[in-house]
Amino acid sequence: MDAAWTQLSPNHQTQSGGKSGYTTFWSKIRPVRVDSITSTDYRTSTAGLTYVCTDGKSQTEKRWLRVEYVNSQLEITGSGI
């Protein structure tokens, strides 16, 4: 989880609720399945995702993700539903 956290831009880390909000959300998820990916442009894609929660319930969503180079490293700089 820590490695994934470092792949978020500082701004997106804040938008994700900070480290504690991020950790709380992902600690309830096991696993995430990527059902589809569609590119919108060179830096933005939409992914169909299925989250399987630790209680056995699942939830699907379509989420856009923006990936950009920040300090010579690819980072997620934004996402939303």
Side-chain angles (χ1 to χ4, degrees):
M1 196 175 323
D2 287 337
W5 173 253
T6 64
Q7 294 178 339
L8 302 179
S9 70
N11 186 45
H12 195 59
Q13 288 174 344
T14 300
Q15 292 173 354
S16 297
K19 181 81 181 247
S20 64
Y22 178 87
T23 301
T24 298
F25 174 80
W26 285 107
S27 68
K28 299 175 187 174
I29 306 295
R30 299 282 187 266
V32 176
R33 185 178 70 228
V34 179
D35 301 316
S36 64
I37 297 177
T38 305
S39 288
T40 305
D41 59 37
Y42 72 97
R43 65 182 186 168
T44 308
S45 296
T46 301
L49 304 170
T50 299
Y51 300 95
V52 180
C53 301
T54 54
D55 65 5
K57 296 178 183 177
S58 64
Q59 175 182 341
T60 60
E61 71 179 22
K62 289 205 180 240
R63 174 167 291 276
W64 62 266
L65 299 156
R66 183 176 308 115
V67 179
E68 300 177 83
Y69 276 102
V70 177
N71 299 322
S72 302
Q73 174 179 308
L74 280 174
E75 294 183 354
I76 297 172
T77 58
S79 73
I81 299 174

